[in-house]
Structures are given as C-alpha cells and as structure tokens.
Amino acid sequence: MPTERESLDIKKAMAYDLLQIIKKDMDKQYSKEELENLIDAYIRGLEQ
C-alpha cells in the first residue's frame, strides 16, 4: 500500500502525463467527452 506521499506523487505524475498528451496538439480543442475518453483510456492502459 503506497504512503500518502507516494499516492500524491502518483496523482501528480498522472496529471503531468495527461497534460503532455494534450499539449502534443496545441491547436486541438477537446470536448468534455473527448477529455473523459482520454482519461479513461489512460487509466485502462495503466491497468494492463
């Protein structure tokens, strides 16, 4: 079981990863649904 500090680091890393994915195409505007799908796909990828 991760410590509270480790859990926070994991959350920050996930947020950073998602920002990098979004920044790849700065001209694209994401809808709420697209962002939800992106986050879902990211989490499913981690579970594999």
Side-chain angles (χ1 to χ4, degrees), residues 17-41:
D17 288 346
L18 290 169
L19 281 173
Q20 295 309 305
I21 292 168
I22 292 168
K23 285 181 176 181
K24 278 185 176 180
D25 189 357
M26 292 295 290
D27 295 329
K28 179 169 176 48
Q29 293 185 357
Y30 292 89
S31 69
K32 178 181 177 251
E33 183 177 334
E34 288 173 317
L35 289 172
E36 288 173 353
N37 291 338
L38 178 66
I39 293 168
D40 284 342

